[in-house]
Amino acid sequence: MSLFKSLPEIPTSEAKARAKLDHLYKELFYHNYCYYELNEPEISDEDYDALFQEALALERAYPHLKKDNTPTKSVGYAPLEKFEKVSHSVPMLSLDNAFKQEGIEDFIKRIKKFLGLEIDAPLEFMAEPKIDGLSAALRYEKGHLVLGCTRGDGTTGENITHTLRTIHSIPHHLKGDDYPDFLEVRGEVFLSKEDFLLLNEEREKEGLPAFANPRNAAAGSVRQLDSVVAAKRPLQFFAYSLALIPEGIKTQRALLDSLKKWGFSLGDPLKICGSLSDLLEYYGSVEKIRSHLPYDIDGVVYKVNRLDYQERLGQVSRSPRWAIAHKFQASQGETILKAITIQVGRTGVLTPVAELEPINLGGVLVSRATLHNADELLRKDIREGDRVLIQRAGDVIPQVVRVLSTDSSKRNPPFIFPNHCPICHSHAYRDPEEAATRCTGGFNCSAQAKERLKHFVSRHAFDIEGLGDKSIDFFWEQKRILSPMDIFTLEERDSKETPSLKMIPGWGEKSAENLFQAIREKNHISFDRFLYALGIRHIGQITAKSLALSYETAPAWYEFMEKMAAESLESEAFQSLISINMIGQTIGLSLYEFFREPLNKKMVKDLIEFLTIIPIQQTKGILSGKTFLFTGTLQTMTREEAKQKVESLGGKITSSLSSQTNFLVVGENPGSKIQKAQAIGVPILNEQEWLQLIQKP
Ligand code: IVH
């Protein structure tokens, strides 16, 4: 039992006890919800355990107050509706926790007493690492994986066979031939620390919010309806038990050996311990290597090795009597948040960072913690000077859990999220599609330029042979390529550089010449590739094509963008931009913000002047070369459909009437555009005529 066992004060009146117990149930339900459902625990394991023990103590003192469905009875949280429910053949239990040596001493004494063994009688334990992931059960029939599910509330879990099947360390067919016909393997699904960091990097690139820790990332990945998403995440599985023990397996050690033989991976290190001091030595040795392990562990688990003893010991409430988790020192603590600074990521996301009064968390000195984004700051109302609760999320990224009670009269005002990049001073804006605030500096921001350059030369952009990610890294470090224009002036500058690229080991005359040649060849580029290469947020290959078709030439596009960004989001120019096929508000805003930055404008202008940018061909169709303007409401199709139709037949849409407009199509309740069209001689089509036009073979 944990050290909190003797602490709770038991109210003397029944009414007070009832109120207290109800309150504790609510708290425990809430924290179960945060932990299991949201994957975002708000309190430390010790604090949770203290609440849990207090509720147990009250239940013991007032047994008739105990209700049926209490958080002291069930494990976890009820399963999500979106997955099919699965009843566990044998309940999936949790583990009792201990944080101190006394807790382990109590555990051993309790077991020996229960089994009627002398206090100094030998008793073996299997010691295993406690992986910080989420537990899963796998059913095999005749060696074939037939079902995989989560623990859920311990009685009912969620069917996640489709995502579990994507995990390489889960065999679809058991190895060997000595497995029973029906087998249920239990273990932990997790993500390695390295894969977690890579996944978050990817998410940052895609503008998605980062996962707080590997456990959340694993839980989020495995509980996907789409197994393709899970398959992209390199999840792993360690097996540690069986629901029912087959004949012939007598110990936990033998059980683990069988699991290994059948093709499962196991936690490491595993050790048979014969005494308290052996257990404590194991605990100390694992804690020492904890931060070097490739995956997060939050403690170690001791299990009575003999399975017949395990059976006799049975369970209490929701945990087996024969096992205990010896948790590592809490990695939460309180400190002062000295300042909030802003870090700029490789894709330009501005992340607020808490600069802390250094604090030792589980043996690691923490002086910075992530605050995720502007919304999170606001939601948790975190301010400079606050006393805060810090947590090392797993072993990886420290985070601020919440502000501890503060004297509001002495608090600093709320942090004002900057609207400029602290690195390049370009303005930053909040992308409506995501929680992130982004710097608009792009190539001009040293935090982002290298990534942008890699995109610029990539396969669907300039596609320069011999100039891949590694070469960009090299030229960036050498300060020879810091901007897109530097690529095209590389050869000319090289003759003046010492050493010349030809003299640098690993390059040589031939490869340098090949590279210069490849760059020269890309002085000519199609307009859509050029647009895509600029890496403007949300401008992918398809939107780039749409813009290229719509504006025809790079100078025309540039001129329009410059004008649009000088005006407001209400301007006619902006409205005309967002009426282009594939271009909506978000893309429009992204272009607007990009062109508001003078350095971006200069960079694009210089490139347009230097390069030969080739217009792309309109899809040939019956409306090729014709520009349409719609006014009023059409009866047979929406405006969007009409737009798609024009574009699919090779025509273009405009939102402002000019002599360049070939037809004005008029629906019901048209505005004043008819008069203007008549005045400048633009032909007018009614809906019927429009329909005839597009049905023409
Ligand atoms: S044994 C009946 N062994 O820790 C015993 N659990 O906090 C059930 N866990 O639900 C579990 N590593 O998800 C066991 N080596 C290990 C473990 C382990 C991680 C997890 C498991 C369990 C939770 C309890």
Side-chain angles (χ1 to χ4, degrees):
M1 273 292 161
S2 85
L3 89 154
F4 298 103
K5 192 182 164 194
S6 55
L7 291 182
E9 253 180 52
I10 308 291
T12 44
S13 95
E14 189 172 316
K16 275 191 189 151
R18 186 191 302 274
K20 180 85 197 158
L21 197 56
D22 279 349
H23 174 75
L24 285 168
Y25 285 160
K26 266 194 205 138
E27 288 263 301
L28 287 167
F29 270 130
Y30 174 73
H31 292 300
N32 279 350
Y33 172 74
C34 293
Y35 186 85
Y36 292 104
E37 193 65 18
L38 303 180
N39 298 311
E40 260 182 37
E42 282 191 1
I43 59 173
S44 67
D45 286 349
E46 281 129 312
D47 290 347
Y48 178 87
D49 205 55
L51 292 174
F52 193 85
Q53 296 302 333
E54 194 173 353
L56 279 187
L58 269 167
E59 286 177 353
R60 271 194 296 271
Y62 295 94
H64 57 287
L65 292 185
K66 195 173 170 182
K67 293 187 179 155
D68 266 353
N69 245 333
T70 68
T72 47
K73 257 182 154 180
S74 63
V75 184
Y77 194 75
L80 276 183
E81 285 302 323
K82 66 180 182 182
F83 296 104
E84 185 199 331
K85 290 179 186 153
V86 179
S87 292
H88 296 304
S89 50
V90 175
M92 286 186 81
L93 301 178
S94 185
L95 290 168
D96 197 4
N97 288 334
F99 294 91
K100 295 253 154 95
Q101 178 174 333
E102 301 89 81
I104 305 303
E105 279 169 15
D106 278 356
F107 167 69
I108 300 176
K109 273 189 211 147
R110 240 182 359 256
I111 288 174
K112 288 191 171 167
K113 189 165 169 226
F114 191 97
L115 294 173
L117 300 174
E118 294 295 329
I119 193 69
D120 50 3
L123 182 63
E124 272 186 352
F125 290 93
M126 182 75 230
E128 307 171 7
K130 185 174 184 306
I131 319 294
D132 197 9
L134 70 152
S135 46
L138 308 167
R139 284 187 204 161
Y140 289 85
E141 284 178 19
K142 295 203 177 350
H144 298 292
L145 175 64
V146 291
L147 181 82
C149 56
T150 63
R151 175 171 63 177
D153 62 5
T155 312
T156 313
E158 301 144 338
N159 184 340
I160 50 161
T161 318
H162 62 297
T163 55
L164 290 175
R165 276 187 195 280
T166 66
I167 301 178
H168 294 299
S169 42
I170 293 185
H172 289 199
H173 307 287
L174 298 178
K175 278 202 208 155
D177 50 14
D178 65 342
Y179 44 76
D181 280 355
F182 293 94
L183 186 76
E184 183 170 321
V185 176
R186 291 176 174 181
E188 204 78 353
V189 176
F190 63 97
L191 199 64
S192 77
K193 294 181 204 171
E194 194 187 343
D195 288 331
F196 159 72
L197 292 172
L198 287 173
L199 174 62
N200 268 355
E201 255 180 48
E202 286 289 308
R203 286 175 73 81
E204 200 216 319
K205 273 190 199 160
E206 287 166 27
L208 296 167
F211 284 114
N213 55 47
R215 185 185 177 282
N216 288 7
S221 308
V222 94
R223 289 161 100 202
Q224 289 281 336
L225 286 172
D226 185 356
S227 59
V228 175
V229 178
K232 286 188 194 147
R233 316 252 172 101
L235 293 162
Q236 299 183 52
F237 179 83
F238 279 166
Y240 51 65
S241 73
L242 291 172
L244 292 170
I245 311 292
E247 288 266 320
I249 297 186
K250 305 285 182 216
T251 60
Q252 173 69 13
R253 175 75 259 184
L255 186 156
L256 292 175
D257 290 342
S258 294
L259 284 168
K260 185 149 187 127
K261 201 169 52 184
W262 293 330
F264 291 95
S265 308
L266 308 177
D268 184 39
L270 301 167
K271 193 170 177 236
I272 290 287
C273 297
S275 64
L276 174 70
S277 63
D278 272 5
L279 292 174
L280 298 178
E281 194 189 307
Y282 173 82
Y283 176 85
S285 66
V286 177
E287 192 172 33
K288 243 192 219 144
I289 58 163
R290 178 186 183 190
S291 58
H292 305 295
L293 286 176
Y295 44 83
D296 269 350
I297 59 174
D298 56 345
V300 294
V301 187
Y302 309 139
K303 299 172 183 173
V304 171
N305 193 32
R306 273 177 59 168
L307 298 179
D308 58 335
Y309 280 171
Q310 286 192 7
E311 196 169 339
R312 279 173 62 195
L313 284 157
Q315 70 185 73
V316 209
S317 183
R318 55 177 200 162
S319 329
R321 215 180 255 114
W322 45 265
I324 197 159
H326 193 177
K327 299 291 263 309
F328 290 136
Q329 192 188 329
S331 40
Q332 274 198 338
E334 300 177 21
T335 189
I336 299 291
L337 187 155
K338 292 190 299 186
I340 297 173
T341 55
I342 299 287
Q343 206 169 46
V344 187
R346 291 192 303 171
T347 58
V349 174
L350 268 53
T351 304
V353 174
E355 305 290 342
L356 307 166
E357 201 72 73
I359 172 176
N360 189 325
L361 291 184
V364 175
L365 202 64
V366 173
S367 54
R368 304 184 88 205
T370 176
L371 292 165
H372 300 293
N373 53 47
D375 288 352
E376 172 96 344
L377 267 180
L378 213 66
R379 192 168 63 81
K380 293 187 174 164
D381 189 20
I382 298 167
R383 305 186 192 183
E384 291 182 330
D386 281 348
R387 194 162 183 80
V388 287
L389 182 67
I390 303 295
Q391 146 175 307
R392 255 176 63 218
D395 273 336
V396 194
I397 307 172
Q399 57 188 200
V400 176
V401 180
R402 66 185 149 89
V403 174
L404 298 162
S405 57
T406 44
D407 177 352
S408 56
S409 64
K410 290 192 194 131
R411 276 185 98 189
N412 279 315
F415 179 73
I416 298 176
F417 207 88
N419 52 15
H420 282 87
C421 170
I423 307 269
C424 71
H425 308 291
S426 300
H427 78 283
Y429 82 108
R430 171 75 187 266
D431 189 316
E433 292 280 294
E434 56 186 23
T437 305
R438 284 180 184 273
C439 160
T440 53
F443 289 105
N444 307 301
C445 178
S446 61
Q448 304 166 60
K450 201 161 77 163
E451 283 309 300
R452 300 279 171 149
L453 286 165
K454 288 180 183 172
H455 172 80
F456 190 83
V457 297
S458 65
R459 198 152 66 89
H460 298 295
F462 271 76
D463 191 20
I464 298 177
E465 217 181 308
L467 198 57
D469 287 3
K470 283 208 182 109
S471 311
I472 290 287
D473 284 336
F474 166 79
F475 287 120
W476 177 266
E477 268 147 40
Q478 293 257 319
K479 298 198 169 46
R480 293 185 191 214
I481 296 182
L482 299 173
S483 74
M485 262 316 268
D486 288 349
I487 297 172
F488 301 104
T489 57
L490 185 70
E491 183 177 3
E492 188 198 323
R493 281 182 291 120
D494 190 63
S495 53
K496 294 168 208 148
E497 297 263 7
T498 28
S500 151
L501 191 55
K502 295 171 186 166
M503 311 302 290
I504 294 178
W507 279 96
E509 190 140 353
K510 183 97 188 90
S511 46
E513 184 43 50
N514 285 347
L515 177 65
F516 296 148
Q517 170 72 22
I519 295 174
R520 264 181 260 132
E521 278 170 14
K522 295 298 158 91
N523 281 350
H524 289 63
I525 183 130
S526 70
F527 187 16
D528 57 332
R529 274 182 179 260
F530 171 75
L531 285 170
Y532 174 69
L534 294 176
I536 301 170
R537 183 129 187 92
H538 300 302
I539 309 287
Q541 287 170 267
I542 295 174
T543 36
K545 203 164 235 160
S546 201
L547 286 169
L549 282 172
S550 191
Y551 292 97
E552 291 179 2
T553 68
W557 169 72
Y558 178 84
E559 203 178 307
F560 188 89
M561 291 298 132
E562 194 178 36
K563 175 170 169 278
M564 179 268 304
E567 296 177 9
S568 76
L569 293 177
E570 278 73 49
S571 69
E572 215 174 287
F574 185 76
Q575 295 309 313
S576 141
L577 168 67
I578 64 174
S579 73
I580 294 172
N581 187 25
M582 309 295 302
I583 314 290
Q585 283 282 349
T586 306
I587 300 174
L589 183 65
S590 172
L591 282 160
Y592 172 81
E593 299 290 354
F594 180 88
F595 275 92
R596 279 177 60 208
E597 259 327 296
L599 286 174
N600 287 342
K601 286 200 293 187
K602 181 171 176 345
M603 188 245 339
V604 174
K605 197 164 190 224
D606 289 350
L607 283 170
I608 292 177
E609 275 166 13
F610 179 83
L611 298 165
T612 305
I613 301 174
I614 307 152
I616 57 169
Q617 284 303 308
Q618 194 82 256
T619 324
K620 280 271 176 268
I622 53 165
L623 302 185
S624 273
K626 302 279 182 274
T627 303
F628 289 76
L629 176 69
F630 286 81
T631 183
T633 316
L634 296 176
Q635 297 307 298
T636 53
M637 62 181 74
T638 63
R639 187 68 69 81
E640 189 56 31
E641 272 178 278
K643 198 165 106 178
Q644 300 281 356
K645 196 77 200 167
V646 169
E647 280 163 355
S648 69
L649 294 172
K652 280 199 304 180
I653 290 281
T654 179
S655 64
S656 56
L657 190 63
S658 72
S659 55
Q660 308 297 314
T661 314
N662 296 96
F663 295 102
L664 175 71
V665 182
V666 181
E668 273 183 19
N669 304 323
S672 59
K673 290 208 171 94
I674 294 186
Q675 285 82 38
K676 191 173 170 197
Q678 282 165 340
I680 58 174
V682 172
I684 298 173
L685 303 178
N686 63 26
E687 186 159 354
Q688 207 48 43
E689 288 164 329
W690 152 246
L691 288 172
Q692 273 170 10
L693 183 68
I694 58 175
Q695 272 159 21
K696 246 164 89 177

